[in-house]
Amino acid sequence: MKNILVTGGLGYIGSHTVVALQNAGFNVYIIDDLSNSQLEVWEKITGITGVQPTYYNIDLKDFNAVSVFFQSHPIDGIIHFAAYKAVGESVEKPLMYYRNNLMGLMNMLEAMEENQVDNFIFSSSCTVYGQADSMPINEATPLKRPESPYGNTKKMGEEIIEDFVSATDKKAIALRYFNPVGAHDSAAIGEVPNGIPNNLIPYVTQTAMGIRESLGVFGNDYETRDGTAVRDYIDVNDLADAHVKAIQRLLDSKNKSNLEFFNLGSGTGSTVLEIVDAFEKANNLKINYEIKPRRAGDIVQAYADYSFAKSQLNWEPITSLETSMQTAWKFQQQLDNK
Ligand code: WQD
């Protein structure tokens, strides 16, 4: 049985990936410092799969603690989610983001070298493309300086990994997510925002719950179908499946180069108002919303060409937007029934 370390494994995408890895027969270790996750997710994962992953609360900026972990656990591959990810907060506190996200990454890479770990999956983001010039976005699309320090930690992270694999002959894959949505169909795990949600769907579900008065739609004067911005909303369970396929690709040495990039999106762009409409129809309810000014740093549109992941990972999104809207709502209701 192969041992996979998932950093940030109690987080939103991380927890869904741990479930998918366990269901695929991997032995999973989780490291998570609970800075943006809850300890109860550990038992939720165990409840879904029937297998309790080994969990450690370790700050990845503490290299000694990271080393101690690797010295006592043989690891065949790492899936690295652990990072701060709030775009707005990163603008206010850039050094906190650079220190946490890049130091954590570099400690992981150094531990790989020290402990003969060869396979690394990096949680990246479509934000590295900035506002791409043409749609859909493929992996050959030129990168631009991301609008936020958060996005820049993803772009710099990819560059650090590129230099690392060149120097060490290790193997890595960077998965560039578009906009993750939805929840596990058990409603046991899902997206739990810290405080006021930055992202659209948790704000929508909290508005539907009555926790928020109404949804602010950030701008309706963009050059799009209905004036609101376009994004590619990809179900978190499909994202989890892609991580299992990506780590298996490296374990089987099927990779074509030491660092590969894959865009993970649904391939469909939806405007904010189309998402509101989809959520309302999928859950048979109405959402209060009001048009607000544009949000600083937002791009107009982004949606993925995932054909490279389809051909090389044998992956494609199979979850409908309607289902994602239903599982997101079901999870929100479960959250608030605690
Ligand atoms: C989506 C759309 C908003 C909230 C960021 C990161 C990305 C990824 C996901 C981190 C935009 C609009 C939002 C609201 C709104 N990583 N919106 N009202 O900005 O596309 O991507 O988060 O998790 O790397 O860049 O996602 O969900 O914040 O916004 O109108 O209350 O919804 O303007 O058009 P974004 P988002």
Side-chain angles (χ1 to χ4, degrees):
M1 187 181 268
K2 295 290 186 188
N3 298 316
I4 305 298
L5 166 61
V6 180
T7 71
L10 297 183
Y12 176 37
I13 308 171
S15 56
H16 288 79
T17 300
V18 169
V19 166
L21 286 165
Q22 288 189 319
N23 288 341
F26 290 97
N27 180 40
V28 179
Y29 293 92
I30 295 172
I31 288 179
D32 196 305
D33 68 2
L34 300 178
S35 59
N36 188 24
S37 56
Q38 297 74 33
L39 184 60
E40 70 176 26
V41 173
W42 186 19
E43 75 192 45
K44 299 282 188 187
I45 290 168
T46 309
I48 293 169
T49 63
V51 178
Q52 185 180 60
T54 307
Y55 163 63
Y56 294 100
N57 184 336
I58 295 172
D59 180 346
L60 297 187
K61 296 189 290 299
D62 177 351
F63 186 69
N64 291 330
V66 169
S67 281
V68 165
F69 169 81
F70 278 93
Q71 281 150 24
S72 40
H73 300 90
I75 297 296
D76 298 296
I78 299 170
I79 302 182
H80 182 58
F81 291 101
Y84 296 156
K85 57 160 238 177
V87 173
E89 184 184 51
S90 77
V91 174
E92 290 157 27
K93 302 174 183 171
L95 296 184
M96 183 177 94
Y97 271 68
Y98 287 119
R99 181 174 294 112
N100 184 71
N101 293 5
L102 297 184
M103 183 63 76
L105 168 63
M106 289 188 285
N107 283 347
M108 272 297 114
L109 299 178
E110 192 164 345
M112 284 177 73
E113 227 180 335
E114 276 199 354
N115 299 277
Q116 294 78 46
V117 178
D118 293 332
N119 306 299
F120 188 74
I121 305 294
F122 180 58
S123 167
S124 190
S125 165
C126 64
T127 198
V128 301
Y129 296 110
Q131 176 56 74
D133 294 336
S134 63
M135 296 294 137
I137 301 171
N138 63 35
E139 292 82 356
T141 301
L143 305 192
K144 294 183 180 170
R145 196 188 192 289
E147 293 285 338
S148 68
Y150 153 78
N152 211 27
T153 67
K154 293 301 181 184
K155 184 166 179 289
M156 293 166 77
E158 290 184 357
E159 290 164 356
I160 289 168
I161 294 164
E162 193 158 20
D163 291 341
F164 172 73
V165 297
S166 302
T168 61
D169 205 25
K170 302 285 186 184
K171 299 177 284 179
I173 286 176
L175 297 175
R176 293 170 175 167
Y177 319 142
F178 281 67
N179 289 57
V181 291
H184 190 264
D185 59 16
S186 65
I189 54 176
E191 186 173 9
V192 184
N194 245 342
I196 301 174
N198 298 298
N199 293 133
L200 177 62
I201 297 305
Y203 206 104
V204 166
T205 59
Q206 288 193 8
T207 302
M209 208 67 208
I211 298 166
R212 306 291 163 200
E213 189 70 19
S214 83
L215 167 72
V217 173
F218 299 148
N220 70 341
D221 57 350
Y222 288 106
E223 294 286 308
T224 63
R225 287 189 287 278
D226 60 21
T228 62
V230 171
R231 296 291 186 275
D232 181 329
Y233 297 91
I234 174 74
D235 190 87
V236 66
N237 299 286
D238 291 333
L239 282 183
D241 180 44
H243 288 75
V244 176
K245 291 186 162 97
I247 196 69
Q248 195 62 62
R249 178 180 176 84
L250 295 184
L251 290 168
D252 296 345
S253 300
K254 292 272 193 349
N255 55 302
K256 301 286 194 293
S257 66
N258 281 20
L259 175 56
E260 295 176 310
F261 303 93
F262 292 99
N263 285 353
L264 298 180
S266 70
T268 302
S270 302
T271 71
V272 176
L273 290 180
E274 286 166 353
I275 289 296
V276 170
D277 185 54
F279 186 84
E280 290 179 332
K281 286 194 167 67
N283 298 302
N284 192 23
L285 48 74
K286 295 304 280 179
I287 294 286
N288 296 326
Y289 71 84
E290 52 194 318
I291 304 298
K292 292 267 182 74
R294 294 180 176 189
R295 179 173 66 176
D298 271 355
I299 59 171
V300 186
Q301 62 171 350
Y303 53 93
D305 169 355
Y306 64 83
S307 53
F308 189 52
K310 183 172 181 178
S311 66
Q312 297 301 312
L313 298 180
N314 186 30
W315 173 85
E316 57 184 323
I318 58 171
T319 307
S320 68
L321 182 64
E322 179 187 27
T323 299
S324 302
M325 296 298 101
Q326 288 168 340
T327 56
W329 177 227
K330 201 173 139 199
F331 176 70
Q332 176 72 64
Q333 291 172 293
Q334 174 274 336
L335 253 189
D336 292 279
N337 291 340
K338 279 188 310 186

